[in-house]
Amino acid sequence: MKAFVAGATGETGRRIVQQLVKRQIPVRALVRDLEKAKGLLPEPVELVVGDVLQPLSLAQAIGDSTVLLCATGASPSFDPTGPYKVDYEGTKNLVDVAKANNIQHFVLVTSLCVSRFFHPLNLFWLILVWKKQAEEYLQNSGLTYTIVRPGGLTNEENPQEVVMSVADTLFEGRIPRTKVAQTCVEALFQPAAANKIVEIVAEPQGKEKTWEELFANVT
């Protein structure tokens, strides 16, 4: 297994990279700024320069990777096309290059509530709408996929258990980014994670379950 990570220098992406390194999986990290990435990502990671909005750069960057994890996301800005470009077009480009390179498993991080049009986050240039469009493009691609929809993301660790549910059943809750990263990496190893959308939050009253149980319970 060799992992290609898009959005590798973001808060969630870098934690995904850390989890992959922990599991001794070779990583190719897609970065736009090489110098910035060197200060953020661990030593054994192979840094490749490219941009999700430039398909030709992706074709070169993906190399001999066998799995792809995408944690990209539009940054808040005054550009109304940001979410369309990054969350939809960028993901679409990654799906296309993954198909062309026979990627075995594509893990995509989106968000809770992507199916709810009347959601406050859609005031940010319809960001949830474009994330949902990206999900559907991946689902229709023929690739083996896992779509991870986390609740509100926090940088702080906590001992709370991961609660995992089927699509469009969790509408509130928070989760540490490290637990999101663990979920993404575990999806690569759990046969029950294939071709599923999973929604995740962390709850103090959540019951302790193995990753195998968590994914198997989502039907």
Side-chain angles (χ1 to χ4, degrees):
M1 186 184 289
K2 186 168 190 177
F4 183 74
V5 181
T9 57
E11 292 286 357
T12 302
R14 72 182 80 156
R15 287 165 172 80
I16 288 173
V17 170
Q18 288 163 1
Q19 291 296 320
L20 289 163
V21 169
K22 210 171 171 180
R23 297 288 288 261
Q24 297 185 311
I25 299 164
V27 179
R28 284 172 79 93
L30 181 71
V31 302
R32 282 182 299 175
D33 184 332
L34 206 54
E35 289 310 308
K36 177 188 170 189
K38 283 177 184 172
L40 291 174
L41 298 174
E43 190 64 47
V45 174
E46 191 180 346
L47 304 178
V48 287
V49 177
D51 190 322
V52 294
L53 299 178
Q54 296 172 358
L56 284 177
S57 73
L58 295 180
Q60 292 176 320
I62 200 165
D64 59 350
S65 306
T66 61
V67 297
L68 192 155
L69 302 97
C70 174
T72 56
S75 302
S77 76
F78 293 110
D79 178 5
T81 67
Y84 165 76
K85 287 192 292 196
V86 176
D87 291 280
Y88 177 62
E89 280 293 332
T91 305
K92 186 170 170 285
N93 291 338
L94 285 167
V95 170
D96 290 344
V97 80
K99 281 183 74 173
N101 286 269
N102 299 312
I103 286 292
Q104 295 162 14
H105 199 145
F106 191 121
V107 179
L108 173 64
V109 181
T110 62
S111 173
L112 288 192
C113 300
V114 290
S115 302
R116 287 193 161 183
F117 182 78
F118 294 104
H119 189 281
L121 279 176
N122 274 328
L123 296 173
F124 171 40
W125 315 126
L126 300 178
I127 189 165
L128 294 179
V129 169
W130 294 119
K131 284 182 185 293
K132 184 73 166 71
Q133 293 290 313
E135 286 187 359
E136 290 173 4
Y137 191 80
L138 174 58
Q139 286 177 287
N140 294 326
S141 68
L143 290 165
T144 298
Y145 68 85
T146 305
I147 294 167
V148 179
R149 294 178 178 174
L153 298 167
T154 65
N155 290 339
E156 296 75 36
E157 293 292 321
N158 67 43
Q160 296 175 3
E161 297 295 336
V162 172
V163 173
M164 188 180 287
S165 189
V166 297
D168 306 323
T169 54
L170 295 177
F171 300 105
E172 55 187 30
R174 302 180 73 75
I175 186 164
R177 292 178 192 271
T178 299
K179 286 185 166 65
V180 177
Q182 288 169 339
T183 304
C184 292
V185 174
E186 285 295 334
L188 301 171
F189 294 91
Q190 301 295 335
N195 301 324
K196 284 183 181 175
I197 294 175
V198 299
E199 298 190 334
I200 52 170
V201 294
E203 292 182 355
Q205 68 274 28
K207 291 179 183 170
E208 187 176 352
K209 292 179 181 173
T210 64
W211 289 105
E212 191 176 5
E213 288 171 323
L214 285 168
F215 284 109
N217 287 342
V218 175
T219 55

